[in-house]
């Protein structure tokens, strides 16, 4: 665990150099987090900027009890969720209802794929599915916590996660079949 105490102290004193250093240190990974929740890099950058404003406004509340990056990450995730809720482009995509999605029960697709390919598949999910999948599978939030964050009940979070997971598995399996066809065609 890196010790950022002096950097935090300097930021709290208003040092622009320290604030830039903190931003530079965490901007790239936080942009990745924000991008997981939005549909464009421009929106992700907006979320990240808003998130860093909150980081600097509330830095005095950081207690040095956990990793600074984890504290900043939580702010970014919360900022992204709030952005999705208030932005008209995403607002109606966050409606959680039963939709006709073909669920697949195969839990173990045997496919080698890069993290980048998987991340891109996750980004193709409908916004509601993508949000819940990221919160649970990537960020590690419980369905109870997700329900509170999104204003839905725990059961809805669980079912949306299962649907997202099923959809991803079906896409992975379809991709696997396409790769096999290409190999046998050669």
């Amino acid at each position: 665990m890196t010790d950022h105490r002096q950097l935090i102290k300097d930021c709290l004193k208003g040092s622009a150099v320290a604030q830039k250093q903190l931003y530079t240190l965490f901007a790239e990974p936080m942009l990745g987090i924000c991008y997981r929740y939005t549909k464009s890099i421009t929106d992700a950058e907006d979320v990240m900027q808003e998130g860093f404003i909150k980081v600097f406004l509330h830095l005095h509340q950081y207690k040095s009890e956990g990793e600074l990056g984890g504290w900043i990450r939580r702010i970014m995730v919360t900022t992204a969720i709030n952005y999705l809720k208030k932005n008209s482009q995403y607002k109606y995509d966050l409606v959680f209802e039963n939709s006709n999605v073909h669920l697949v029960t195969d839990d173990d697709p045997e496919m080698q794929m890069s993290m980048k390919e998987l991340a891109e598949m996750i980004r193709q999910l409908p916004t509601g599915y993508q949000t819940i999948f990221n919160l649970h599978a990537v960020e590690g939030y419980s369905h109870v916590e997700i329900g509170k964050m999104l204003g839905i009940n725990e059961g809805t979070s669980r079912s949306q996660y299962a649907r997202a997971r099923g959809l991803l598995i079906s896409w992975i399996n379809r991709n696997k079949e396409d790769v096999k066809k290409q190999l046998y065609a050669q």
Side-chain angles (χ1 to χ4, degrees):
M1 186 165 89
T2 307
D3 187 4
H4 296 102
R5 281 183 275 207
Q6 188 59 50
L7 182 60
I8 293 168
K9 285 179 186 176
D10 292 345
C11 286
L12 291 172
K13 290 178 184 174
S15 166
V17 171
Q19 290 169 347
K20 181 171 177 30
Q21 187 179 358
L22 182 77
Y23 178 87
T24 303
L25 189 62
F26 290 102
E28 187 176 329
M30 296 306 143
L31 181 60
I33 289 165
C34 296
Y35 190 53
R36 276 202 301 262
Y37 292 93
T38 60
K39 295 290 184 190
S40 75
I41 195 69
T42 303
D43 288 348
E45 289 169 343
D46 288 348
V47 169
M48 185 183 74
Q49 290 300 106
E50 189 175 326
F52 269 109
I53 290 169
K54 291 176 183 177
V55 166
F56 290 117
L57 285 174
H58 300 285
L59 192 57
H60 67 281
Q61 295 174 347
Y62 175 66
K63 303 291 183 216
S64 298
E65 294 169 355
E67 184 67 37
L68 178 61
W71 183 79
I72 294 173
R73 174 189 205 109
R74 189 171 189 95
I75 290 172
M76 293 298 166
V77 169
T78 302
T79 304
I81 298 302
N82 290 336
Y83 182 84
L84 295 177
K85 286 179 181 178
K86 71 181 179 188
N87 188 305
S88 61
Q89 175 186 350
Y90 297 103
K91 194 177 201 174
Y92 299 105
D93 290 340
L94 282 177
V95 175
F96 299 98
E97 58 187 43
N98 293 333
S99 56
N100 297 326
V101 176
H102 176 66
L103 296 180
V104 178
T105 57
D106 179 13
D107 287 345
D108 191 21
E110 297 174 13
M111 169 102 187
Q112 293 291 327
M113 69 182 347
S114 71
M115 290 300 288
K116 186 176 180 178
E117 290 171 315
L118 180 58
E120 192 52 42
M121 281 188 175
I122 293 168
R123 290 187 49 66
Q124 299 306 312
L125 288 168
T127 303
Y129 288 6
Q130 176 187 352
T131 301
I132 289 176
F133 188 85
N134 280 326
L135 287 170
H136 185 69
V138 180
E139 306 294 342
Y141 288 98
S142 73
H143 290 292
V144 172
E145 292 171 313
I146 294 168
K148 288 177 183 173
M149 290 172 91
L150 298 176
I152 59 176
N153 68 46
E154 174 186 352
T156 301
S157 176
R158 286 184 189 284
S159 69
Q160 296 291 303
Y161 174 75
R163 288 190 173 112
R165 188 170 178 266
L167 195 53
L168 285 171
I169 290 169
S170 71
W171 290 346
I172 290 168
N173 284 336
R174 190 173 8 167
N175 195 8
K176 181 174 136 182
E177 290 302 316
D178 290 345
V179 169
K180 281 183 184 177
K181 286 178 187 174
Q182 288 174 358
L183 288 174
Y184 291 123
Q186 293 178 356

